[in-house]
Amino acid sequence: MFQAPAHLQLPQSLRTARLSVGQNTDLPIAAIDRYPLLAAVLSHWDRARQQTGRLPARLDPLLLPREILPYVMLLDLETADCRPLLRIRLAGTEVCAKHGREMKGLTTDDFFHDADAAAVVQAAMNVAASGQPSLASRSYVSIDDRMWSYVRLILPLSRNGRDVDSFFKVADPASMRGLTAPTVLPAAG
């Protein structure tokens, strides 16, 4: 049986626990002040929305904090087999590094377990339906068994100013936590 090197092994309590695939905990948007970089992004989006009275089609990266750009994703809303899905139009360098590959062109189904992909799409659909930003704490186990947690902001974007057809998603760099670990199997018994 394969034995991971000691520095990659999980503590005994986690090796025997049943880990959930992932968790998405909505946070009140008022909590954004705890995440100054996310607050700056939200402020830029809100100014763009107020200037036109419509949802912005894009955010100007030159007006965003430089240190947030590697953690940005632009997601397009598509449908496949009569269900919504999110396709990555752009992924920052840190997003790609965390997932171990270029993300452009992939869908959430390509790198999340089914339940996590559904949760991410549902969160985006809630943003699309409300036209309002979403702040949440996320944790998940990726398909290659890497465990991640972070706080993220999703902002609705619209090419016509009314109908949400894409999203600006950004993770707070200070909250990003990752652990590479061997596959955790359910406890016997």
Side-chain angles (χ1 to χ4, degrees), residues 2 8 15 21 28 65 76 81 111 125 134 142 144 175 183:
F2 171 76
L8 292 179
R15 285 198 309 265
V21 172
D76 289 326
D81 300 323
F111 58 92
M125 295 307 295
S134 168
S142 66
D144 61 358
S175 70
T183 302

Side-chain angles (χ1 to χ4, degrees), residues 74-166:
L74 295 179
L75 305 165
D76 289 326
L77 181 59
E78 299 180 357
T79 56
D81 300 323
C82 297
R83 68 181 181 87
L85 75 102
L86 299 173
R87 183 169 309 278
I88 299 169
R89 183 176 357 138
L90 176 140
T93 55
E94 282 298 316
V95 174
C96 293
K98 299 283 185 229
H99 287 280
R101 61 182 157 177
E102 173 59 52
M103 303 294 287
K104 182 179 178 180
L106 298 178
T107 70
T108 48
D109 290 348
D110 294 328
F111 58 92
F112 280 127
H113 290 282
D114 292 346
D116 265 338
V120 169
V121 170
Q122 186 59 54
M125 295 307 295
N126 293 344
V127 169
S130 71
Q132 296 299 310
S134 168
L135 183 66
S137 173
R138 283 270 300 137
S139 63
Y140 68 93
V141 179
S142 66
I143 287 175
D144 61 358
D145 294 321
R146 286 189 258 178
M147 299 182 308
W148 297 101
S149 69
Y150 57 91
V151 173
R152 63 93 180 121
L153 175 66
I154 298 178
L155 301 169
L157 300 175
S158 173
R159 288 174 184 91
N160 68 12
R162 293 180 317 275
D163 305 312
V164 176
D165 53 22
S166 58

Side-chain angles (χ1 to χ4, degrees), residues 8-75:
L8 292 179
Q9 289 183 16
L10 291 172
Q12 179 64 31
S13 61
L14 288 178
R15 285 198 309 265
T16 59
R18 288 183 180 269
L19 296 178
S20 66
V21 172
Q23 185 175 6
N24 193 53
T25 305
D26 289 326
L27 302 172
I29 202 69
I32 198 141
D33 291 337
R34 293 183 214 149
Y35 311 97
L37 292 173
L38 298 184
V41 173
L42 177 61
S43 179
H44 174 60
W45 175 86
D46 200 40
R47 278 191 308 276
R49 187 178 55 86
Q50 288 177 3
Q51 286 174 350
T52 63
R54 303 167 63 115
L55 290 171
R58 62 184 289 275
L59 297 181
D60 185 343
L62 297 176
L63 299 176
L64 298 173
R66 175 178 264 159
E67 57 267 41
I68 201 81
L69 297 177
Y71 297 89
V72 166
M73 293 177 81
L74 295 179
L75 305 165

